Amino acid sequence: MINVMFTILIMLVNVSAVLNVLLILKVFFGSSIKLTNRILLFVGGIYFLVNIGIGLVPGLTSLTTIFVFLFMVISIFILSQEHKISNCFLAIPAALMYVQWGSVFKLIERLVGLDKLVYHYPEMDVRISTFLPDFILLAFMIVIMNKANKGIMETKFSKGEGIVITIICIIYPVVVAFFDYLDGNINHVLFTPFWLVIMILVNVVVIYAVIHRKKAGYYKKVAGWQQEQFQAEYDYFKDYRENNVDLIKFRHDFNNHMLVVKGMYEKGQYDRANEYIDKLSEATGGLKKTYVTGHEILDMILKSKAAAMEENNIEFTMEGNLTALDFLEDVDACILFSNIIDNAIEANLNVSEVRYIKLSAKTVNKMIYIQLTNPYGEDNEAKVNKTNGDVHGIGLQNVKDIVEKYDGQMDASADAGVYELKIVMSI
């Protein structure tokens, strides 16, 4: 009976090892792995069943470590949003970082004398350090995943930073083995505490460096988004001021213009009056178009993009209003709208016929449904490059991140030369 209990316990340790590596990849390395509490439970359940299968086949138990690694790689590839092989290679430093935690716990166990509590299982000696570190780490990582700033957590390292972290993770086990060797040959009461302090300091430094670099990368992106928002606001108010000046000038002279036109008609100078009216129409046509969508940030962005749309004969139309999106932070709204409008303008430039951007919004049962459509040409076909049919444009990943930040959903598709982006968010 006890052996059965320990068999189940060891299976759960193997399951937690897989889940811990996946969480380290997401939390520390910022890999785009789709992980939720439900997905973790599902993956853990599958691997628990795999462990039962391994245990039922004679001779496979000794290959458990290999099965753990293979299952991790397959899980990473399936759960990765980009399905990149590079994410699978990151499993190596992530696994080494996971081992670091176990090494520290084993040293603490040895220092306080808990290593003497041993159960002699048929295939291995089971100690507290065999299972407790995994469960503690798993609980800790799940809390971080659910509570930490998603923007910081999902910020990836630069290539240089990733290489440095990987090298540290590779060197660490070598250093651990060296000090373990010294520990076995130096019979001094202070050596184990000294070694424990060194290991804790190394781990603290690595964790601090990871958090610091991820924060720096995240706030650098935020600064870029804020600069973009500031520029959009500046362009909006600059155009608004210029537009108002032109409008005030026109209104000031309006009565005089009407008197002149009236005089021409009274004298029978109809052609001359019509010509004068045409010139007035040209003057009023020079006043820049005002966009009213129900969301101030989008109005600003459209105002700043108006010249590009008019110059390239792109007609913008809006159905409904976006007043319900007032819960969006200004920076997030700027990222969301500037990227989808920029993508739509870019796609239109590759179309020689009718150019347009259609935006519609509908609010139903505390949900807002946003749909954007525009044509795309052959040059944009390269952006339809995934089997799931997603259409990819510059910055579209940023749009997806913002939508997911507010627990919304986004779907992009392209068919018969028409690109369609749908966004659904609760309000």
Side-chain angles (χ1 to χ4, degrees), residues 258-411:
M258 292 300 99
L259 290 172
V260 170
V261 171
K262 182 180 178 183
M264 290 179 180
Y265 276 115
E266 288 176 349
K267 294 179 180 180
Q269 299 173 345
Y270 303 115
D271 291 339
R272 187 179 177 187
N274 290 335
E275 184 180 349
Y276 193 91
I277 291 172
D278 289 340
K279 288 182 179 179
L280 284 178
S281 297
E282 292 176 6
T284 55
L287 297 175
K288 295 181 179 178
K289 187 181 292 185
T290 300
Y291 295 94
V292 181
T293 64
H295 196 283
E296 187 178 21
I297 297 297
L298 179 56
D299 292 345
M300 292 178 182
I301 291 168
L302 290 173
K303 193 73 173 179
S304 66
K305 309 293 182 184
M309 289 193 286
E310 291 174 8
E311 181 181 344
N312 293 288
N313 297 317
I314 301 172
E315 181 183 0
F316 177 84
T317 57
M318 172 77 190
E319 293 181 4
N321 69 80
L322 297 167
T323 307
L325 285 180
D326 57 0
F327 62 87
L328 290 178
E329 294 180 12
D330 286 349
V331 172
D332 293 336
C334 181
I335 296 166
L336 177 69
F337 291 130
S338 62
N339 277 299
I340 63 175
I341 296 300
D342 281 342
N343 280 349
I345 292 174
E346 181 192 13
N348 271 282
L349 297 181
N350 293 292
V351 177
S352 58
E353 299 176 357
V354 179
R355 295 178 175 181
Y356 62 88
I357 299 173
K358 294 180 180 178
L359 185 64
S360 63
K362 183 186 295 183
T363 304
V364 180
N365 296 329
K366 294 186 178 181
M367 301 289 289
I368 183 166
Y369 299 84
I370 303 168
Q371 181 175 332
L372 180 141
T373 58
N374 59 263
Y376 70 93
E378 294 181 358
D379 292 344
N380 293 78
E381 290 289 347
K383 294 177 181 177
V384 189
N385 56 8
K386 280 196 176 181
T387 56
N388 60 7
D390 289 347
V391 178
H392 300 273
I394 299 171
L396 199 58
Q397 183 59 47
N398 290 337
V399 174
K400 188 174 183 180
D401 291 341
I402 296 300
V403 172
E404 291 181 351
K405 176 180 176 180
Y406 293 90
D407 297 322
Q409 293 183 337
M410 185 185 85
D411 178 65

Side-chain angles (χ1 to χ4, degrees), residues 216-237:
Y218 172 71
Y219 288 123
K220 184 178 179 181
K221 286 197 297 184
V222 170
W225 295 335
Q226 289 176 331
Q227 177 64 30
E228 186 175 355
Q229 179 191 350
F230 172 79
Q231 187 63 44
E233 291 178 354
Y234 173 79
D235 292 340
Y236 175 80
F237 287 114

